[in-house]
Amino acid sequence: MASSHSSSPVPQSNSSDAFFKKEMDATKRFRPAQSLPDVCPKEPTGNVGDPSNLCDSPSLVVDQQRWTIYHSKVNLPAALNDPRLAKRESDFFTKTWGVDFVDTEVTPSFYLPQITKEHFALYQQEITPREKVHERCKNICTPKDTFDRTLLHTHDKSRTDLEQVPKIFMKPDFALEDSLTFNAVLPWSHFSTAGGKGNRDAASSKLLQEKLSHYLDIVEVNIAHQISLRSEAFFHAMTSQHELQDYLRKTSQAVKLLREKISKIDKVMCEGSLRVLRLSLTRNNCMKAYNKLKLMATVHQTQPTVQLLLSTSEFVGALDLIATTQEVLQQELQGIHSFRHLGSQLCELEKLIDKMMIAEFSTYARNDLNRPLEDDCQILEEERLVSLVFGLLKQRKLNFYEIYGDEMIITAKNIIKQCVVNTVSQIEEIDTEVVVKLADQMRMMNFPQWFDLLKNIFSKFTIFLKRIKATLNTIRSVVFLVLDKNQKTRDLEDTLQKNSAKDSTVDTEVAYLTHEGMFISDAFSEGDLLPVAADTTSQRNTSPNSEPCSSDSVSEPECTTDSSSSKEQTSSSVTPGGVEMMISDDMKLTDLELVRLANNIQELLYNASDICHDRSVKFLMARAKDGFLEKLNSNEFVALSRLMEGFILDTEQICGRKSMSLRGALQSQANRFVNRFHEERKTKLSLLLDNERWKQAEVPAEFQDLVDSVSDGRISLPEKKPAATEERKPTEFLIVEGQKYATVGTVLLLIRIILEYCQCVDNIPSITTDMLTRLSDLLKYFNSRSCQLVLGAGALQVVGLKTITTKNLALSSRCLQLIVHYIPIIRAHFEARLQPKQFSMLRHFDHITKDYHDHIAEISAKLVAIMDSLFDKLLSKYEVKAPVPSACFRNICKQMAKMHEAIYDLLPEEQTQMLFLRINASYKLHLKRQLAHLNVVNDGGPLNGLVTSDVAFYTGNLQALKGLNNLDLNMAEIWEQKR
């Protein structure tokens, strides 16, 4: 309420008009801010023409646009820093603010008036008495610097005195009730009178009393000093309080004058207008009464009209009429005694319509799904369907799609049953009188008959799903049309609200001035604003006081029920089938409910696909009970698999989602087929190996054609060619990419079995991984079993061979090489049909290749070991003597020739050379060891000559063998090197 201590007290004015003469002109006077700002409005307090009665203080209403010094805002550096000047002077101002700073003449502002001495006349009159008082006070009071020094000295002194007072008295929680505090202030030792210490204790108690009295005096002196220092502020506050009372008195007078003027304005300008508004309101009330009577006459005809609409199955029209009548009864005819039972009657009628619509929809679904399954997929009575769906949506019967779902299940069962009955009736071998059950009759069919039946069922299901999709798409389109209409309605309401906010010109303050208990805004809205908003849609819903018809609509001769319901906007929409419909605004469904319903309808289409798949699975399982499907050959199972895959793809294309039941059943049957397929071929391979005598077999022409087709990049079994006039003779070798392979009959059949695995993968892609595993197992089995029979000499007991010859070993090695040649091709074939995440399974082929190479290396080592044991036996008895060549070397050359004869036609020339190089190394090792034993050295002596002759004989015979003429034997290694 008071300003700072440095402000001077506000002087009291002697005259009664001093409050209005504080400031005559804001542009001609400047004075320091008062302790209390004057915010009273500039209003007349007496005669309007008397300028002395006007408030001279600033007014918040009048002066808010007047320019003051606070409007003087400028960026000084931007104004003074001229970028166009190139040079900068050394002077501080010219260097910082430009060379024109000192020389530039400041243009006087037209906002600031020229101040003269006359502007200070009033100030001098007011300040002169204060100056005299100030001079008198200055003579009495000490100078300011002396006062400050005294004040500082006094402050320091008082501070020193206060420091004498113990700190316990200064604590905010000081209380003598506390025993510790009391003992600290008044120790008991000062009040003890026992023994001879009485006089001393009394003196001590007196000293304590004087000390406390001294502390009290110090505190009182400081309190008095503080009060004396703030006396000026106290008197200043009192002075400001008197000035505030003067302000309030003047304000009260101004308010009284303003009320008198407003009363005169009300009598002159407002009473006539209010009378016009009252008459307009009376006229509108009469119109309302007339419209009510017409509306009651129309509502009275509601029930006969509803009965008429129901007789023609116009459910939507009947529901619209009932909804409109209910709305009229609740909002416009509420409280009419003659219509007190009409609402309940309409509710019962609405429930009856609900039951009728559900029964009608059930009948429609039954008729639609049980139509003959022809190729056409037209929607049955689309207009009827659309009308039913709109009626059900209007009544919030959102579970009507479940009725359609139940009918789908029943129809799917009937489709299979009817197909089986029709097929059985055409087969004469089945006696329906003996075999009564359809499942038993179906099991009596052979594969072609059953396959045709399954194909017929799948085709019926495909048409069935297409019809369901067309019907459900129509239902979803109706739901989406309602959803789109809701969105448009919201947009329209937002637009109308924005327009109404812009067009409304009625003052909100006037709306609260009432006449006879009614708002004036009601009169405006019903007399003037209502005709403008007569075409809006939600007038009845937005305000309970609004009326059904405008003043303009009263002049119409008739007001029917359709006109009363015209407040609900309707729009025309067209379904995908071309049916035009009218959508009303009374669909009280939220966007969330509509979207959920559309999703449920789409889910119903998915369920239809699942139902067809489930019924097909049951049909398959019923036929597979006696192991029928497991007994199918490869061609039959491939045909069945392709048929089922085609049906699965068709349903996925129609419904847009995969159904796993039929695919799972196919996978289960495929797994059984794979197991049986693999076991049959593994058993066949086992029998072939157990009967294989490991002799070179002739290659029939069909096997050569099979190998040639693989060389062309196609891993598939060639089609059987018709018998030619001249049958091609079998060949001795199998030609694979220009190389000759001598094989046994088992390997030829194994190649065909491998191609059967690959072709089965092409025909049934879902079993690729299983086939890969089974084929890997088959190749591993052939490798291990052949190793047991040949290297392990198992063929001696199994087949009855007398011995395992080198020819058997070489032939086995060549057969393994043929299989190794095809492993990369098989791997590439499977890799092209596997998913990237399944590529890890290809490592099986890498392991198999390694095993085969190890097996081939073991066979080569076995051949070398045979000759090694022969060399050890013969050379251990070798003696260096005549005749030359010795018998030992003749036997060695003879065995080498037999070995060459056995393997040359079976193994390629390169492998033959490598094998004989290893045999020759073994020969040189044994010969070197024997010569060292006989102490024969390369010294040119007679013994050396004999050995050289034998070695030359061995070299000549070995190089004379076919394909070994260029073999580097390096026979110098048989001699010990001289150190």
Side-chain angles (χ1 to χ4, degrees), residues 327 331 489 492-493 496-497 533 535-543 546 567-569 585:
E327 187 177 0
Q331 297 183 3
T489 303
L492 180 60
E493 289 178 355
L496 292 176
Q497 289 178 359
D535 295 332
T536 59
T537 59
S538 52
Q539 185 72 20
R540 186 184 304 121
N541 295 329
T542 54
S543 175
S546 58
K567 286 170 282 188
E568 299 170 356
Q569 281 190 346
D585 281 345

Short mmCIF file of all heavy atoms in Angstrom, two decimals, residues 327 331 489 492-493 496-497 533 535-543 546 567-569 585:
data_model
loop_
_atom_site.label_atom_id
_atom_site.label_comp_id
_atom_site.label_asym_id
_atom_site.label_seq_id
_atom_site.Cartn_x
_atom_site.Cartn_y
_atom_site.Cartn_z
N GLU A 327 -38.63 -40.05 -31.36
CA GLU A 327 -37.89 -38.81 -31.14
C GLU A 327 -38.84 -37.63 -30.97
O GLU A 327 -38.64 -36.78 -30.09
CB GLU A 327 -36.95 -38.57 -32.32
CG GLU A 327 -36.00 -37.40 -32.12
CD GLU A 327 -35.05 -37.25 -33.29
OE1 GLU A 327 -35.13 -38.06 -34.24
OE2 GLU A 327 -34.24 -36.31 -33.26
N GLN A 331 -39.09 -35.41 -27.48
CA GLN A 331 -38.54 -34.06 -27.50
C GLN A 331 -39.58 -32.98 -27.75
O GLN A 331 -39.45 -31.88 -27.23
CB GLN A 331 -37.45 -33.96 -28.57
CG GLN A 331 -36.27 -34.87 -28.29
CD GLN A 331 -35.16 -34.70 -29.32
OE1 GLN A 331 -35.27 -33.86 -30.20
NE2 GLN A 331 -34.11 -35.50 -29.19
N THR A 489 -20.97 -36.95 -41.67
CA THR A 489 -21.85 -36.25 -40.73
C THR A 489 -21.06 -35.44 -39.72
O THR A 489 -21.40 -34.29 -39.41
CB THR A 489 -22.75 -37.27 -40.01
OG1 THR A 489 -23.49 -38.02 -40.99
CG2 THR A 489 -23.72 -36.56 -39.08
N LEU A 492 -19.73 -32.40 -41.40
CA LEU A 492 -20.79 -31.41 -41.63
C LEU A 492 -21.13 -30.68 -40.33
O LEU A 492 -21.33 -29.46 -40.32
CB LEU A 492 -22.03 -32.10 -42.19
CG LEU A 492 -23.25 -31.19 -42.47
CD1 LEU A 492 -22.88 -30.13 -43.49
CD2 LEU A 492 -24.42 -32.02 -42.97
N GLU A 493 -21.19 -31.41 -39.23
CA GLU A 493 -21.48 -30.76 -37.95
C GLU A 493 -20.38 -29.80 -37.56
O GLU A 493 -20.66 -28.70 -37.05
CB GLU A 493 -21.64 -31.84 -36.87
CG GLU A 493 -22.92 -32.66 -37.02
CD GLU A 493 -23.01 -33.75 -35.97
OE1 GLU A 493 -22.03 -33.90 -35.21
OE2 GLU A 493 -24.05 -34.42 -35.90
N LEU A 496 -20.92 -26.70 -39.65
CA LEU A 496 -22.06 -25.90 -39.18
C LEU A 496 -21.72 -25.17 -37.88
O LEU A 496 -22.13 -24.03 -37.69
CB LEU A 496 -23.27 -26.81 -38.96
CG LEU A 496 -23.89 -27.41 -40.24
CD1 LEU A 496 -25.01 -28.36 -39.88
CD2 LEU A 496 -24.42 -26.30 -41.14
N GLN A 497 -20.98 -25.81 -37.01
CA GLN A 497 -20.60 -25.14 -35.77
C GLN A 497 -19.69 -23.95 -36.04
O GLN A 497 -19.85 -22.89 -35.43
CB GLN A 497 -19.89 -26.14 -34.84
CG GLN A 497 -20.83 -27.19 -34.26
CD GLN A 497 -20.09 -28.18 -33.39
OE1 GLN A 497 -18.87 -28.10 -33.24
NE2 GLN A 497 -20.82 -29.14 -32.84
N ALA A 533 -31.37 -21.32 -39.72
CA ALA A 533 -30.91 -22.68 -39.42
C ALA A 533 -31.98 -23.72 -39.65
O ALA A 533 -31.94 -24.81 -39.10
CB ALA A 533 -30.43 -22.76 -37.98
N ASP A 535 -32.53 -25.53 -42.20
CA ASP A 535 -32.07 -26.68 -42.98
C ASP A 535 -31.00 -27.49 -42.29
O ASP A 535 -30.45 -28.41 -42.86
CB ASP A 535 -31.53 -26.20 -44.34
CG ASP A 535 -32.63 -25.58 -45.17
OD1 ASP A 535 -33.80 -25.99 -44.97
OD2 ASP A 535 -32.31 -24.72 -46.02
N THR A 536 -30.64 -27.14 -41.10
CA THR A 536 -29.60 -27.90 -40.39
C THR A 536 -30.16 -29.22 -39.93
O THR A 536 -31.37 -29.42 -39.84
CB THR A 536 -29.06 -27.10 -39.20
OG1 THR A 536 -30.14 -26.81 -38.33
CG2 THR A 536 -28.41 -25.80 -39.66
N THR A 537 -29.26 -30.13 -39.56
CA THR A 537 -29.67 -31.52 -39.32
C THR A 537 -29.96 -31.84 -37.89
O THR A 537 -30.83 -32.67 -37.60
CB THR A 537 -28.55 -32.45 -39.81
OG1 THR A 537 -27.38 -32.11 -39.10
CG2 THR A 537 -28.30 -32.30 -41.29
N SER A 538 -29.29 -31.25 -36.96
CA SER A 538 -29.41 -31.69 -35.57
C SER A 538 -29.98 -30.59 -34.69
O SER A 538 -29.52 -30.38 -33.58
CB SER A 538 -28.05 -32.13 -35.05
OG SER A 538 -27.10 -31.14 -35.28
N GLN A 539 -31.00 -29.85 -35.19
CA GLN A 539 -31.57 -28.76 -34.39
C GLN A 539 -32.30 -29.31 -33.17
O GLN A 539 -32.25 -28.76 -32.10
CB GLN A 539 -32.54 -27.96 -35.27
CG GLN A 539 -33.13 -26.73 -34.61
CD GLN A 539 -32.10 -25.64 -34.46
OE1 GLN A 539 -31.11 -25.64 -35.15
NE2 GLN A 539 -32.31 -24.72 -33.55
N ARG A 540 -33.00 -30.46 -33.37
CA ARG A 540 -33.75 -31.02 -32.27
C ARG A 540 -32.86 -31.68 -31.24
O ARG A 540 -33.17 -31.75 -30.07
CB ARG A 540 -34.75 -32.04 -32.82
CG ARG A 540 -35.71 -32.60 -31.77
CD ARG A 540 -36.60 -33.66 -32.34
NE ARG A 540 -37.32 -33.19 -33.48
CZ ARG A 540 -37.23 -33.74 -34.67
NH1 ARG A 540 -36.45 -34.76 -34.87
NH2 ARG A 540 -37.94 -33.28 -35.69
N ASN A 541 -31.71 -32.17 -31.68
CA ASN A 541 -30.84 -32.90 -30.77
C ASN A 541 -29.93 -31.99 -29.97
O ASN A 541 -29.52 -32.32 -28.88
CB ASN A 541 -29.99 -33.90 -31.55
CG ASN A 541 -30.83 -34.98 -32.20
OD1 ASN A 541 -31.87 -35.33 -31.65
ND2 ASN A 541 -30.40 -35.48 -33.34
N THR A 542 -29.57 -30.81 -30.52
CA THR A 542 -28.59 -29.98 -29.86
C THR A 542 -29.17 -29.19 -28.70
O THR A 542 -28.49 -28.90 -27.74
CB THR A 542 -27.99 -29.00 -30.87
OG1 THR A 542 -29.05 -28.28 -31.50
CG2 THR A 542 -27.20 -29.74 -31.95
N SER A 543 -30.46 -28.80 -28.76
CA SER A 543 -31.04 -27.98 -27.69
C SER A 543 -32.46 -28.42 -27.41
O SER A 543 -33.27 -28.53 -28.32
CB SER A 543 -31.04 -26.49 -28.10
OG SER A 543 -31.69 -25.73 -27.12
N SER A 546 -35.15 -25.85 -28.61
CA SER A 546 -35.38 -25.53 -30.01
C SER A 546 -36.64 -26.24 -30.49
O SER A 546 -37.06 -27.25 -29.96
CB SER A 546 -34.17 -25.95 -30.84
OG SER A 546 -33.95 -27.33 -30.66
N LYS A 567 -35.48 -33.77 -40.61
CA LYS A 567 -34.34 -33.22 -39.89
C LYS A 567 -33.19 -34.21 -39.86
O LYS A 567 -32.09 -33.87 -39.51
CB LYS A 567 -34.76 -32.83 -38.47
CG LYS A 567 -35.60 -31.58 -38.46
CD LYS A 567 -36.19 -31.35 -37.12
CE LYS A 567 -37.38 -32.22 -36.88
NZ LYS A 567 -38.09 -31.88 -35.65
N GLU A 568 -33.44 -35.46 -40.20
CA GLU A 568 -32.39 -36.45 -40.29
C GLU A 568 -31.94 -36.49 -41.75
O GLU A 568 -32.67 -36.87 -42.63
CB GLU A 568 -32.90 -37.82 -39.86
CG GLU A 568 -33.39 -37.85 -38.43
CD GLU A 568 -34.11 -39.14 -38.13
OE1 GLU A 568 -34.26 -39.92 -39.07
OE2 GLU A 568 -34.51 -39.33 -36.99
N GLN A 569 -30.72 -36.10 -41.99
CA GLN A 569 -30.22 -36.04 -43.35
C GLN A 569 -30.09 -37.43 -43.92
O GLN A 569 -29.70 -38.37 -43.23
CB GLN A 569 -28.86 -35.36 -43.40
CG GLN A 569 -28.94 -33.86 -43.32
CD GLN A 569 -27.61 -33.24 -43.63
OE1 GLN A 569 -26.60 -33.93 -43.64
NE2 GLN A 569 -27.60 -31.96 -43.89
N ASP A 585 -29.25 -40.62 -40.87
CA ASP A 585 -28.26 -40.21 -39.88
C ASP A 585 -28.49 -40.82 -38.51
O ASP A 585 -27.76 -40.52 -37.58
CB ASP A 585 -28.27 -38.69 -39.72
CG ASP A 585 -27.51 -38.02 -40.85
OD1 ASP A 585 -26.78 -38.76 -41.54
OD2 ASP A 585 -27.65 -36.81 -41.04
#
